[in-house]
Amino acid sequence: MVSGMPALDALRDRLAELADLASLQRLAGWDQRTMMPPGGAPARAQQSATLERLVHDRATADDIGAWLEELAGGGDGLGEMDADLVRLARRDWERVRRIPRELASDLALASAEGQGVWQSARAANDFAAFAPALRRNVDLARAYAACFDDVEHPYDALLADYDFGLTAARVREIFGPLAEALSALAAEAAERPEVPALTVPIDAQRAAVDAILARLGVTPDSWRVDLSPHPFTSWVGTQDTRITTRYLPDAQIESILAAIHEFGHGLYERQIPPELARTNLGRGTSMSAHESQSKLWENHVGRHPEFAPVIASDLEAGGFTVAPDALHRAITAVKPSLIRVSADPLTYPLHIVLRFDLEVALIEGSLEVADLPAAWSDGMRRLLGVEVPDDARGVLQDTHWSAGAFGYFPSYALGCLIAAQLWERLEADAGAQDEALRAGDVGAIRAWLAEHVHRYGRRLDTEPLVEAATGRGIDPEPFLRHVTPYARA
Amino acid sequence: MVSGMPALDALRDRLAELADLASLQRLAGWDQRTMMPPGGAPARAQQSATLERLVHDRATADDIGAWLEELAGGGDGLGEMDADLVRLARRDWERVRRIPRELASDLALASAEGQGVWQSARAANDFAAFAPALRRNVDLARAYAACFDDVEHPYDALLADYDFGLTAARVREIFGPLAEALSALAAEAAERPEVPALTVPIDAQRAAVDAILARLGVTPDSWRVDLSPHPFTSWVGTQDTRITTRYLPDAQIESILAAIHEFGHGLYERQIPPELARTNLGRGTSMSAHESQSKLWENHVGRHPEFAPVIASDLEAGGFTVAPDALHRAITAVKPSLIRVSADPLTYPLHIVLRFDLEVALIEGSLEVADLPAAWSDGMRRLLGVEVPDDARGVLQDTHWSAGAFGYFPSYALGCLIAAQLWERLEADAGAQDEALRAGDVGAIRAWLAEHVHRYGRRLDTEPLVEAATGRGIDPEPFLRHVTPYARA
């Protein structure tokens, strides 16, 4: 592909190089979490830092600026896709160039050190031991935000790295009514009798994971399924998607729901059109958009009442018998709890709202790190009606802040909301999926997502993408319609 | 580590970067051969090409030349290790800078295409279909050799990439008497009754591979053992060594001997001193030196008569019973054959002598590609006394020439010779290993190799390394002493 515009060709070559290096970074990360012997960790840290430094140098180089300038002058003849490519290249380059080299290196160091300190502090249930590292991360995040003079709130600059175009104000606008409605539903659910948890033998879980992934379209010629302590997905190439899950004896069928969730991430990247591959447009557009894909598969397929007989029959083939409606009740039961990652689908976003409120306050300086544990307990009481017994099961439970990742949390809840919106629209367009799901057939779902979500790659940011797919911006109502029955089951 | 010499610090930083990138290349290669789903191949080819291009750019950059110049002026204050580091950096940089960019790219392309053509040609037993690609590779190898004006024979320039310091003349001097002696022994062996081959159930092979590797020191904290169609070793980090083996129903205990062989490669890289890590000195010095390590473990440990009871007992634990002396006879039986990779330990070097003679003749232009099959058949008759029935089992059996790798073959035989030399010296220094091997104890062997071979990294080239370890240059006599009993068993 030669365009007749040397600056565009040069830019495309650089973007292809950066895409390849990003794939190698994902490969190294996947290997580290699934295959690498533990002794390999120190060398891998150096290898990853070297690769990261090279990527940074190539992504911030002056030559990109020169090509962009040339294209700004004579770029009127660009096709639509190339115009998007140039637009995003400019945006990415300008953002990364705003960060002084020393600040970037301080951020990386504080992130690595913060995670180490957090691990020990959490194990010792000792917030005071973690506080200085957290304070350092907050200060650096504020310094990072201060590099951007075009934002209304410093938090917006952080959010932009995960979900470009969203703002603290917009998220608050969405989360306010959501939290109110969900807290009321959670209180309602707390009055109802508890649903007994299932205990599913791990062999049956394994058999069902394999069978269900095969139903969704996971084939060994271009997918891998491995184990990792925290399930994740890595897309090493368009036809090389690697998901993981985990098997726990006391987590019902978390292994199955996690595998379906990760499949959603993988499918998003695979169904981005080949012509966007090895450009800056050829990946999922944001954390929220990605999470909407994983949550759509997890919540709307995996937890669909008509899919329960399919899961039950695959468990049966693995030697475990459960009635489909008992299974469905168990995986949709509402019970306010302390830990985000094991929260039920209804109360999950409340955990996120709490974290969003607190991190915005930390970044704007209206909350001191020392006051964080008390604010956490207050929030848990107010939102979920639960008492926090200690910091290990409270403010120390998540790794994100220890790594300096402020602005990441909202995507977990926004993903749930967007998933529900997409699902309603999908069924409006393609018809109710009850019958297809009962037959284990997800072809129409895959096709609708390819056409209405995946095909854009990064060409649309989060909220414009939601608008293009559903005709309106992010809206909590479909999610509330989806989970309300769970509170009253 | 800051030296007070900015040019040295800069050079060290670049060498560390190149070492990290080489580790990532090995990781990508390992993944491709063990884990990657087949659909990942096209994307991986692009990722690897991008990484290769970056490595080439960083290794040939002008700034290295400037640092070297500065160090040539004021480098008298260098310690011994830094002096070696600078000496090798200069040698590597000057060699790679001699190759015009276009020739490098032609070589890479012809290598990739040649391997594709070869695969089809071998499957079709059609040498004529392969000849044009081979001719192209020969022409490019000659053009490559012509970039070096400081060699006596063009083949020397090719050999230098695998075994710096060796020459066609020196290899011929070693191989001449070796071939004569081995051919005579092979003829002698052909007169003796055939030893029946073992058939070992694959489950028993697996159990024995695990048990034997554990005896050698393979632990899951810093090694991996996987499967691949062609066994190989990848060192991703000092404490991250990955070996592979393969299980074939009709290959006796090849899986065990291959695993021991690969262990030898892995141990070499692991026992290089940590202070050489992430420099240009921190790896095995040459292909011959590497092969000497794998062959020492395969031939002198794995095929040691006193180790046979250990293997037999590990097979027994896996459910297969064999008498130790029957096992030893089976894995040391001499039988001239057509295929290099399944040759017995005595006749193996004869396959290499043939390839060396032919590739030297191709490179110097005294043999035409069209005449190669006939020359192959003549050589097999003369050296091994066997008739070649077709090219698939003759000149088309190996991939090396199709990839343009001329100068690689000698290391396979030189490795056997050096291994035998090292083993004699090791037993002279550390005492006969019979008793230790009977007990499955290889501690003294590991320690001697660390002290006399591994500790040099790249600081000594092949033959100086052999001299340092054994007091003399490469010598075929120890190998002949080692294999002669096999011909008369």
Side-chain angles (χ1 to χ4, degrees):
Chain A
M1 276 213 304
V2 171
S3 66
M5 295 188 210
L8 181 60
D9 293 340
L11 179 62
R12 274 196 194 139
D13 283 349
R14 177 64 53 80
L15 295 172
E17 178 188 289
L18 290 170
D20 286 339
L21 295 177
S23 293
L24 290 163
Q25 287 179 307
R26 286 191 294 270
L27 174 64
W30 172 84
D31 181 80
Q32 186 165 351
R33 296 170 72 177
T34 58
M35 296 291 158
M36 186 183 81
R44 180 59 51 83
Q46 288 170 323
Q47 293 151 12
S48 297
T50 290
L51 194 50
E52 176 61 36
R53 202 162 41 240
L54 266 178
V55 166
H56 183 266
D57 289 350
R58 304 291 285 170
T60 58
D62 293 338
D63 51 9
I64 297 182
W67 301 327
L68 290 172
E69 191 147 335
E70 211 177 311
L71 288 164
D76 294 345
L78 292 174
E80 272 186 32
M81 183 188 133
D82 283 329
D84 280 342
L85 180 149
V86 170
R87 176 176 59 84
L88 280 182
R90 179 171 296 118
R91 185 170 101 188
D92 293 341
W93 186 78
E94 284 175 355
R95 280 186 66 77
V96 75
R97 293 270 291 197
R98 281 173 180 263
I99 313 307
R101 221 187 147 82
E102 202 183 320
L103 177 57
S105 132
D106 287 350
L107 281 159
L109 188 66
S111 168
E113 290 179 352
Q115 291 173 75
V117 172
W118 166 75
Q119 282 196 320
S120 325
R122 184 179 63 158
N125 185 29
D126 183 354
F127 180 77
F130 175 51
L134 178 56
R135 208 168 286 123
R136 171 97 179 121
N137 278 341
V138 170
D139 289 345
L140 287 169
R142 289 165 57 101
Y144 180 88
C147 298
F148 299 87
D149 50 16
D150 55 349
V151 290
E152 213 170 288
H153 190 287
Y155 187 81
D156 300 351
L158 306 172
L159 202 48
D161 283 340
Y162 305 103
D163 268 278
F164 192 88
L166 290 185
T167 62
R170 176 71 183 120
V171 174
R172 195 174 280 128
E173 183 179 53
I174 297 164
F175 281 2
L178 174 73
E180 203 173 322
L182 289 180
S183 288
L185 286 168
E188 209 174 312
E191 301 300 310
R192 305 186 68 85
E194 199 165 318
V195 177
L198 298 175
T199 301
V200 184
I202 284 178
D203 280 351
Q205 292 185 44
R206 280 183 205 278
V209 163
D210 290 347
I212 287 163
L213 288 177
R215 292 178 190 281
L216 301 186
V218 169
T219 50
D221 63 312
S222 60
W223 295 79
R224 282 191 63 92
V225 184
D226 294 281
L227 296 179
S228 68
H230 298 279
F232 73 102
T233 307
S234 190
W235 36 97
V236 182
T238 316
Q239 295 300 310
D240 182 354
T241 310
R242 305 180 181 198
I243 66 180
T244 71
T245 190
R246 64 176 175 188
Y247 293 94
L248 300 172
D250 299 321
Q252 307 201 90
I253 59 160
E254 188 206 82
S255 57
I256 299 172
L257 292 169
I260 296 174
H261 176 106
E262 299 305 332
F263 167 80
H265 285 300
L267 187 70
Y268 185 7
E269 295 288 332
R270 285 170 78 95
Q271 294 203 140
I272 290 173
E275 60 270 26
L276 303 187
R278 300 182 80 227
T279 75
N280 55 349
L281 307 175
R283 57 180 196 269
T285 197
S286 69
M287 292 305 304
S288 294
H290 242 293
E291 198 67 12
S292 80
Q293 296 309 293
S294 52
K295 281 292 179 186
L296 184 140
W297 287 92
E298 178 193 341
N299 285 348
H300 300 275
V301 176
R303 288 195 172 91
H304 197 288
E306 298 300 333
F307 202 62
V310 175
I311 300 178
S313 90
D314 288 335
L315 285 169
E316 175 96 48
F320 176 73
T321 303
V322 60
D325 62 333
L327 176 69
H328 186 253
R329 257 198 322 277
I331 62 179
T332 56
V334 177
K335 188 186 175 195
S337 69
L338 289 165
I339 306 296
R340 176 181 63 86
V341 297
S342 51
D344 62 75
L346 186 149
T347 60
Y348 183 87
L350 291 170
H351 292 264
I352 300 307
V353 170
L354 170 68
R355 287 155 179 76
F356 167 72
D357 287 344
L358 296 176
E359 69 181 11
V360 168
L362 286 171
I363 295 301
E364 72 188 11
S366 61
L367 176 67
E368 290 300 318
V369 164
D371 300 328
L372 188 58
W376 186 282
S377 298
D378 288 350
M380 287 299 285
R381 196 177 303 119
R382 178 171 43 83
L383 290 163
L384 283 148
V386 299
E387 290 300 321
V388 176
D390 52 49
D391 290 333
R393 282 173 286 179
V395 67
L396 288 174
Q397 69 183 267
D398 292 313
T399 187
H400 304 61
W401 292 340
S402 81
F406 301 96
Y408 186 117
F409 277 124
S411 65
Y412 290 129
L414 294 172
C416 296
L417 308 190
I418 298 168
Q421 261 184 283
L422 293 173
W423 183 259
E424 283 195 354
R425 184 57 186 241
L426 183 159
E427 290 205 305
D429 283 358
Q433 294 299 304
D434 299 43
E435 206 174 316
L437 286 177
R438 205 154 42 227
D441 173 8
V442 299
I445 302 171
R446 291 174 59 122
W448 189 90
L449 291 171
E451 173 65 17
H452 296 275
V453 179
H454 303 164
R455 76 177 171 102
Y456 295 107
R458 282 182 80 208
R459 298 181 67 180
L460 296 178
D461 292 316
T462 308
E463 198 140 24
L465 174 65
V466 175
E467 278 162 20
T470 71
R472 52 190 305 172
I474 300 172
D475 172 8
E477 288 305 321
F479 180 76
L480 290 171
R481 280 194 282 275
H482 172 63
V483 295
T484 297
Y486 297 166
R488 297 169 181 167
Chain B
M1 271 210 310
V2 171
S3 67
M5 295 186 209
L8 182 59
D9 294 340
L11 179 61
R12 274 195 193 141
D13 283 349
R14 177 65 52 82
L15 295 172
E17 177 188 289
L18 290 170
D20 286 339
L21 294 177
S23 294
L24 290 163
Q25 287 179 307
R26 286 192 294 272
L27 173 64
W30 173 82
D31 180 79
Q32 187 166 351
R33 296 169 71 175
T34 59
M35 296 291 157
M36 187 183 79
R44 181 60 50 84
Q46 287 170 321
Q47 293 152 11
S48 297
T50 291
L51 194 50
E52 177 62 36
R53 202 162 43 240
L54 265 179
V55 166
H56 184 266
D57 288 351
R58 305 291 284 170
T60 57
D62 293 338
D63 51 10
I64 297 182
W67 301 326
L68 290 171
E69 191 147 332
E70 211 178 310
L71 287 164
D76 294 346
L78 292 175
E80 272 186 34
M81 182 187 134
D82 283 329
D84 279 343
L85 179 149
V86 171
R87 175 176 59 82
L88 280 182
R90 179 171 293 117
R91 186 170 99 189
D92 293 341
W93 186 79
E94 284 175 354
R95 279 186 66 78
V96 75
R97 293 270 291 195
R98 281 172 180 263
I99 313 308
R101 221 186 147 81
E102 202 184 320
L103 176 57
S105 134
D106 287 349
L107 281 159
L109 188 67
S111 168
E113 290 179 352
Q115 291 172 76
V117 172
W118 166 75
Q119 283 195 321
S120 325
R122 184 178 63 158
N125 185 30
D126 183 356
F127 180 78
F130 176 50
L134 179 55
R135 209 168 285 125
R136 171 95 179 123
N137 277 341
V138 170
D139 289 345
L140 287 169
R142 289 164 59 101
Y144 180 87
C147 298
F148 299 88
D149 50 15
D150 55 349
V151 290
E152 214 170 286
H153 188 287
Y155 187 81
D156 299 352
L158 306 173
L159 202 48
D161 283 338
Y162 305 103
D163 268 279
F164 191 89
L166 291 184
T167 61
R170 176 71 183 118
V171 174
R172 196 174 279 127
E173 184 179 55
I174 297 164
F175 280 1
L178 174 73
E180 201 172 325
L182 289 181
S183 288
L185 286 168
E188 210 175 311
E191 300 300 309
R192 306 187 66 86
E194 200 164 316
V195 177
L198 298 175
T199 302
V200 184
I202 283 178
D203 280 351
Q205 292 186 44
R206 281 184 202 276
V209 163
D210 289 347
I212 287 162
L213 288 177
R215 292 177 190 281
L216 302 186
V218 170
T219 51
D221 63 312
S222 59
W223 296 77
R224 283 191 63 91
V225 183
D226 294 281
L227 297 179
S228 68
H230 297 278
F232 72 102
T233 308
S234 189
W235 36 97
V236 182
T238 315
Q239 296 299 310
D240 182 354
T241 311
R242 306 181 181 197
I243 66 180
T244 70
T245 190
R246 65 176 174 187
Y247 294 94
L248 300 173
D250 299 321
Q252 306 200 90
I253 58 160
E254 188 206 82
S255 57
I256 299 172
L257 293 169
I260 296 174
H261 177 106
E262 298 305 332
F263 167 81
H265 285 301
L267 188 70
Y268 185 7
E269 294 288 331
R270 285 170 76 95
Q271 294 202 138
I272 289 173
E275 60 269 27
L276 302 187
R278 300 181 82 225
T279 75
N280 56 348
L281 307 175
R283 57 181 195 267
T285 197
S286 68
M287 293 305 304
S288 293
H290 242 294
E291 198 67 12
S292 80
Q293 297 309 292
S294 53
K295 282 292 180 188
L296 184 139
W297 287 92
E298 177 193 341
N299 284 349
H300 300 276
V301 176
R303 288 194 171 89
H304 197 288
E306 297 299 333
F307 201 62
V310 175
I311 301 178
S313 89
D314 288 335
L315 286 169
E316 176 96 47
F320 176 75
T321 303
V322 60
D325 61 332
L327 176 69
H328 186 254
R329 256 198 323 279
I331 62 178
T332 56
V334 176
K335 188 183 174 198
S337 68
L338 289 165
I339 306 296
R340 175 181 66 84
V341 296
S342 51
D344 63 76
L346 186 150
T347 60
Y348 183 86
L350 292 169
H351 292 264
I352 300 306
V353 169
L354 169 68
R355 286 155 179 78
F356 166 72
D357 287 344
L358 296 177
E359 68 182 11
V360 169
L362 286 171
I363 295 301
E364 72 188 12
S366 60
L367 174 67
E368 290 300 319
V369 164
D371 300 328
L372 188 58
W376 186 283
S377 297
D378 288 350
M380 287 299 286
R381 195 177 304 119
R382 178 170 44 83
L383 290 163
L384 283 149
V386 297
E387 290 300 322
V388 177
D390 52 50
D391 290 333
R393 282 174 285 181
V395 67
L396 288 175
Q397 69 183 266
D398 293 313
T399 187
H400 304 62
W401 292 339
S402 81
F406 301 97
Y408 187 117
F409 278 125
S411 66
Y412 290 129
L414 294 172
C416 296
L417 307 189
I418 298 168
Q421 260 183 283
L422 293 173
W423 184 258
E424 283 195 355
R425 185 56 184 243
L426 183 160
E427 289 205 305
D429 283 357
Q433 294 299 302
D434 300 45
E435 208 173 314
L437 285 177
R438 204 154 42 227
D441 174 6
V442 298
I445 302 171
R446 291 174 60 121
W448 190 90
L449 291 172
E451 174 65 19
H452 296 276
V453 179
H454 304 165
R455 77 178 171 100
Y456 295 107
R458 281 182 81 208
R459 297 181 68 181
L460 296 177
D461 291 316
T462 308
E463 197 140 24
L465 174 65
V466 175
E467 279 163 18
T470 71
R472 53 190 304 173
I474 299 172
D475 173 8
E477 288 305 322
F479 179 76
L480 290 171
R481 280 194 283 275
H482 172 63
V483 295
T484 297
Y486 297 165
R488 296 168 182 168

